[in-house]
Amino acid sequence: MGLTTETGRIGAAVRAAGRIESAAHDKAPSIELATQEGRNKLIGVWLFIAAESVLFASFFAVYLALRHSTMSGPTTKELFELPLVFAATALLLTSSFTSVMAVLNMRQLKAGPMKMWLALTGLLGLAFLLLEIYEFNHYVHMKHTFVSSAFGTSFYSLVGFHGAHVTFGLLWLFALLVRNARRGVTPYIAPKVYAFSLYWHFVDLVWVFIFTVVYLMGKVA
Amino acid sequence: MYIVVLPAFGIFSEVIPVFSRKRLFGYPAMVVATALIAFFGFMVWVHHMFTVGLGPLANGIFAVATTIIAVPTGIKIFNWIFTMWGGKLRMTSAMHWSVGFIITFVMGGVTGVMMALPPADYQYHDTYFIVAHFHYVLIGGTVFSVFAGAYYWWPKMFGRLLNETLGKIHFWFFFIGFHMTFLIQHFLGLWGMQRRVFTYLPGQGFELPNLVSTIGAYLMAVGVIVFAINIVYTFVKGKPAPDDPWDGRTLEWATPTPVPEYNFARLPLVRGLDAFWLEKQAGNKTVPPAEPYTDIHLPNPSILPFMMSLTLFIAGLGFIFKEQYHPNFLYVGILGIVLTLGVMFLRSVIDDEGFHLHKDDIEREEAKGVNV
């Protein structure tokens, strides 16, 4: 029995919740919240994001504490070039927008446009990642490495960890596109796409903080 | 460290009320204390490195955080004691471990507050005093809780009661052995014995205390062997466990043993904390259902989550051994990560929509079963 026709206690709860909600908003819950499995999955993603926030907060704190300990190596002011970082920021923010478009199309059960927007999200993410690899390579040539100073370690820990998140997100997106290549939008697929989009927004949000705390503050400090 | 002990605290908060026949004293305070410990637990890590030279400000902040975290922990300790106060105590094996935990953990907590103060910590740092402290909190907290939980939930998990006599022998060997091993290490540390060095020079008076420590360690080992014997004995000859062997208070004891894969055929009606106990007080034998019989949707059994943790284990082992033994273990670590991603990919690609148990089958099962 497919999940679309789910019955039983969960189904009853969904119908009850749907009724309450439709009374309040005059509409049914969106497709990613249609099943208990979907809702559980998304609560899991939110908990994961909460834990990740703590992790990133720690890396930010370490970076703020150590960013001046350069061991007479290059400082933030000498290293960072804002045009490049601005391009990277623009790419990543746009990819967040395209992932929203994918979710909107998913809610209208349009599988084709959804996959198209997801693929675009992936391309933008990949472009961001390539820029970051170029940037890191450039820094290493300027003698700013993971082990050159406490600043280096904290910088690559924070920004590199974010880059690893982008990489993982791209792998995730690739897996989603492969598995859904021949499938339409169903209540089984929808939470998977939505979970990815939540994760992607989070990674994007972290970048906004990195852009501010690492790069902009690094330029004025 | 504190995060490690929070699940242990949860186990004791389950075990102590049942064997005191009282509800958990100060339940809301316990919840707030848990949240505070989890929160402050993130802000105490510098107390491991007071002596590295972070300066008085960092040391001061983390010293305050470390002493503050003792407050919610103290609230918990007092609440457990007040739960037992005036209760009808039953000293089962699980309860032995719980009472032993309170004594041991308080001793570890007291030394913890001592070393939360940086000027004093300079004296204790890297000595056996530290070793004694963290074994008191980690073994006295976490390991004791695992044993308490094992004796408490074994009948629900495996359908047989662990032998109580062997359980108490296990406890006393382990408890006495533990204190023999680690109490004297406080003094060894204060007398100047270094930690992280595998030996010490002769003629400093360390020989006899270390011998005492070693004897204690053997006693603990005997205790664990008794536990292993208990497990084997239980699987071979153990008494089949009733559904509710301890006169429990919480919902898991309202399920039949062995527990069906859907746990409750119908969602139970929960009228408050200690839901099962409330029903017993109201004269009911079971927790009343909150809904009619319906089909139950369940996930399919899957080996993939196990494979995921196994591959992560391989990765972790590889990265550790790379530092410890040979650089080539790096490739084992990378292989583990790649395999993990592979398993995650499989889990994503294979559709698993689960299955439904039909309401007629459930009704039939429940009718001939022990429950409801």
Side-chain angles (χ1 to χ4, degrees), chain B residues 92 151 154-166 230-243 245-246 257:
Chain B
T92 57
Y151 283 100
W154 203 271
K156 196 47 89 184
M157 288 194 286
F158 300 109
R160 284 165 191 273
L161 282 157
L162 281 172
N163 185 290
E164 281 289 308
T165 314
L166 285 176
N230 199 351
I231 291 173
V232 175
Y233 176 83
T234 301
F235 276 117
V236 179
K237 290 185 116 164
K239 276 192 293 182
D243 296 344
W246 311 119
T257 303

Side-chain angles (χ1 to χ4, degrees), chain B residues 164-245:
Chain B
E164 281 289 308
T165 314
L166 285 176
K168 282 163 195 166
I169 296 172
H170 169 204
F171 170 78
W172 283 113
F173 266 106
F174 196 94
F175 186 74
I176 294 171
F178 170 82
H179 284 276
M180 248 177 105
T181 309
F182 293 107
L183 184 69
I184 197 131
Q185 289 185 358
H186 291 109
F187 299 99
L188 273 170
L190 295 177
W191 294 335
M193 184 171 158
Q194 290 274 304
R195 75 182 271 220
R196 295 195 171 113
V197 180
F198 79 98
T199 187
Y200 48 85
L201 290 173
Q204 302 184 86
F206 294 163
E207 284 86 356
L208 185 63
N210 272 291
L211 179 66
V212 173
S213 244
T214 308
I215 295 170
Y218 277 105
L219 290 180
M220 276 197 279
V222 171
V224 176
I225 289 169
V226 172
F227 183 50
I229 293 170
N230 199 351
I231 291 173
V232 175
Y233 176 83
T234 301
F235 276 117
V236 179
K237 290 185 116 164
K239 276 192 293 182
D243 296 344
D244 178 21

Side-chain angles (χ1 to χ4, degrees), chain A residues 131-153:
Chain A
L131 273 189
E132 186 156 79
I133 291 169
Y134 167 80
E135 183 198 354
F136 281 9
N137 188 38
H138 182 65
Y139 292 158
V140 169
H141 283 280
M142 291 173 75
K143 302 270 180 278
H144 171 57
T145 69
F146 192 66
V147 293
S148 62
S149 65
F151 160 58
T153 307

Side-chain angles (χ1 to χ4, degrees), chain A residues 102-155:
Chain A
V103 168
L104 288 179
N105 278 291
M106 175 190 84
R107 284 184 179 157
Q108 293 167 9
L109 309 183
K110 292 178 188 159
M114 176 189 85
K115 287 171 201 166
M116 195 272 288
W117 285 111
L118 282 180
L120 199 54
T121 308
L123 284 179
L124 289 164
L126 189 64
F128 168 87
L129 199 63
L130 290 176
L131 273 189
E132 186 156 79
I133 291 169
Y134 167 80
E135 183 198 354
F136 281 9
N137 188 38
H138 182 65
Y139 292 158
V140 169
H141 283 280
M142 291 173 75
K143 302 270 180 278
H144 171 57
T145 69
F146 192 66
V147 293
S148 62
S149 65
F151 160 58
T153 307
S154 63
F155 172 83

Side-chain angles (χ1 to χ4, degrees), chain A residues 81 112 145 176:
Chain A
E81 281 165 34
T145 69
L176 269 183

Side-chain angles (χ1 to χ4, degrees), chain A residues 1-3 6-10 37 41 54 62 168 171 174-176 178-179 183 188-189 192, chain B residues 42 262 264-267 291 294-297 341 344-345 347-353 356 358:
Chain A
M1 191 183 289
L3 292 178
E6 185 186 47
T7 54
R9 54 177 176 175
I10 293 160
E37 286 74 12
K41 202 170 266 182
V54 176
V62 170
F168 181 76
L171 290 173
F174 177 71
L176 269 183
V178 168
R179 81 177 301 289
R183 291 183 173 100
Y188 185 74
I189 308 285
K192 288 178 182 284
Chain B
F42 283 105
Y262 47 79
F264 288 95
R266 294 173 285 179
L267 284 180
E291 59 178 5
T294 47
D295 288 358
I296 294 177
H297 181 235
L341 291 173
M344 291 172 84
F345 182 76
R347 196 192 157 281
S348 168
V349 165
I350 301 169
D351 270 3
D352 179 5
E353 301 213 342
H356 283 86
H358 290 290

Side-chain angles (χ1 to χ4, degrees), chain A residues 178-215:
Chain A
V178 168
R179 81 177 301 289
N180 292 345
R182 285 192 224 152
R183 291 183 173 100
V185 180
T186 66
Y188 185 74
I189 308 285
K192 288 178 182 284
V193 175
Y194 196 78
F196 166 77
S197 132
L198 279 180
Y199 172 83
W200 196 253
H201 288 317
F202 170 71
V203 173
D204 209 13
L205 183 69
V206 171
W207 179 259
V208 172
F209 280 99
I210 290 180
F211 181 66
T212 317
V213 171
V214 176
Y215 291 100

